Amino acid sequence: MAAAAAAATAAWAQRLAGVRGLLLDVSGVLYDGGDGGGTAIPGSVEAVARIKRSGLKLRFCTNESQKSRDKFVGLLQRLGFDISVNEVTSPAPAACQILKERGLRPYLLVHDDVLPEFDEMDTSNPNCVVIADSGDGFSYQNVNKAFRVLVSLENPVLISLGKGRYYKESDGLMLDVGPYMKALEYACDIQAEVVGKPAPAFFQAALKEMGVEAHETIMIGDDIVSDVGGAQRCGIRALQVRTGKFRCCFL
Amino acid sequence: MAAAAAAATAAWAQRLAGVRGLLLDVSGVLYDGGDGGGTAIPGSVEAVARIKRSGLKLRFCTNESQKSRDKFVGLLQRLGFDISVNEVTSPAPAACQILKERGLRPYLLVHDDVLPEFDEMDTSNPNCVVIADSGDGFSYQNVNKAFRVLVSLENPVLISLGKGRYYKESDGLMLDVGPYMKALEYACDIQAEVVGKPAPAFFQAALKEMGVEAHETIMIGDDIVSDVGGAQRCGIRALQVRTGKFRCCFL
């Protein structure tokens, strides 16, 4: 047994050789959301602290789009995490950049708490739709309003902050933005542009912010498509944790 | 010009030779729904009366699933149409038949007004989801509840009453059941079973009820997929009207 353990340790050491940076998903990896803000997953606060002490570069790479980065980081700090806003890569700022570059005025089908991220955007007479995880904001009337904006456009543009199927909160699984993105795609016979994981541009931005190369980096997440698949397509190694939504696939 | 008109009439007479039955879509063809029940499309009340006087067999072939057949027929009668419940082919009874045959207990994501169609069904401890056009009933919480039922099943069964993208009400376009069916398909990585147009079984049931063959029948509808495509795949000729959602594709 000792020999097997030593061999496993050696194999891990070999796998980790040359690693200089880590990308950490947050929801389902560090904490599970829920009423009252959610709860830290046991061991995760200490794990972040150890990573930081190790000297590895670290970025929090999240598709969280129910909260502004300020609120999101505040919540994590209250749960005990050593994290600051400038360590977080999230899709809303990337979406704003795209809107600015292309002169797009969005109809925002997003959670009220994430609206401040779009403060600088002109939302009059919209010529595109931005969709994010809106929770209860995904009422029939709100989704229908987004549909009417899209169907009135000659070239409908739908920008989706992630395409996750669902995530886990403390009281059970919750539909994420992906199913609603698919609903609008089908209604209008269009293809959304995904900003956030698993879009390659999102991972590349995170690497640039860390100043490390893809082959020197490991992504750690609970979503086989958004985290693992997205990272691997960029040449980043990936580890899937068994917390968050992971187990749910087999229930 | 007279010669051209005569040629056109002759061409039509040839096309209609041998036709013994008509299948008529209702929403967008005979009336547009909306507040207060909706309004008859000009000429449609008289068209139904003329068809009936002509001796052609006739069935109303609708995916309407926001109302029970009783309520639906009552609404059309108030608008002036000569129609009775036993002339209507609609998906809810077909869905009930499937549920009974397969011992399925549905979670019903359907409009309150169509619940009476499922009165005889056992809805305790659901082992499938039935989805229909629910309008405002498509709240996040309701759709998430359907998702949680599906994701908890070893073999998730999703039965969808139609798969229309949208329909027209007097104040504008409204999302139909199809986009929400797609949302649940994506969330659970499953394929829904569609009952209603364009499913071949639905058209075959309507033909049987009329007692005519496919090649003797014409389907008239405003939806290129559900009405025209569905009928044609069953060997039924189809005409697309320019009312209802038709024009909207080009706006």
Side-chain angles (χ1 to χ4, degrees), chain A residues 164-204:
Chain A
R165 296 170 193 267
Y166 54 85
Y167 52 90
K168 191 183 164 202
E169 290 210 337
S170 41
D171 82 327
L173 298 181
M174 308 296 288
L175 287 169
D176 200 348
V177 63
Y180 287 91
M181 176 194 84
K182 287 287 171 186
L184 290 174
E185 284 187 339
Y186 178 72
C188 305
D189 199 13
I190 58 172
Q191 190 95 32
E193 301 175 31
V194 177
V195 179
K197 298 177 287 185
F202 192 74
F203 288 98
Q204 283 148 7

Side-chain angles (χ1 to χ4, degrees), chain B residues 18-219:
Chain B
V19 170
R20 292 179 54 221
L22 285 183
L23 298 175
L24 272 187
D25 179 28
V26 181
S27 175
V29 174
L30 300 183
Y31 90 120
D32 285 321
D35 289 339
T39 51
I41 291 171
S44 60
V45 169
E46 173 55 16
V48 169
R50 284 180 64 187
I51 291 166
K52 290 200 162 182
R53 284 199 302 272
S54 75
L56 284 168
K57 303 246 186 173
L58 174 63
R59 274 199 85 75
F60 301 94
C61 204
T62 177
N63 272 4
E64 168 64 44
S65 57
Q66 271 208 2
K67 299 177 190 72
S68 66
R69 276 168 302 166
D70 282 346
K71 282 200 178 182
F72 185 56
V73 165
L75 160 69
L76 293 166
Q77 287 171 340
R78 282 194 297 281
L79 293 176
F81 290 100
D82 177 4
I83 182 173
S84 63
V85 170
N86 60 15
E87 294 173 306
V88 176
T89 302
S90 70
C96 288
Q97 187 63 30
I98 290 172
L99 296 172
K100 276 184 204 157
E101 284 169 7
R102 289 160 56 183
L104 293 169
R105 300 178 305 275
Y107 170 78
L108 296 167
L109 182 53
V110 306
H111 198 283
D112 284 350
D113 286 349
V114 88
L115 283 173
E117 298 268 14
F118 295 90
D119 266 352
E120 290 177 21
M121 296 295 123
D122 176 6
T123 55
S124 64
N125 187 23
N127 59 2
C128 78
V129 167
V130 171
I131 185 173
D133 174 20
S134 305
D136 287 330
F138 281 134
S139 66
Y140 180 73
Q141 292 301 329
N142 284 349
V143 180
N144 202 54
K145 198 165 169 192
F147 160 66
R148 286 185 177 185
V149 168
L150 288 170
V151 85
S152 73
L153 298 170
E154 198 174 345
N155 295 306
V157 174
L158 173 61
I159 294 174
S160 187
L161 274 55
K163 61 174 194 175
R165 294 170 194 266
Y166 54 85
Y167 53 90
K168 190 184 165 203
E169 290 209 339
S170 41
D171 82 326
L173 298 181
M174 308 295 289
L175 287 169
D176 200 349
V177 62
Y180 287 90
M181 176 194 84
K182 287 288 172 187
L184 290 175
E185 284 187 339
Y186 178 73
C188 305
D189 199 13
I190 58 173
Q191 189 95 31
E193 301 176 30
V194 177
V195 179
K197 298 176 288 184
F202 192 73
F203 288 99
Q204 284 149 7
L207 292 176
K208 195 173 171 191
E209 287 155 343
M210 278 202 304
V212 296
E213 302 290 326
H215 71 272
E216 301 170 319
T217 304
I218 292 179
M219 169 79 208

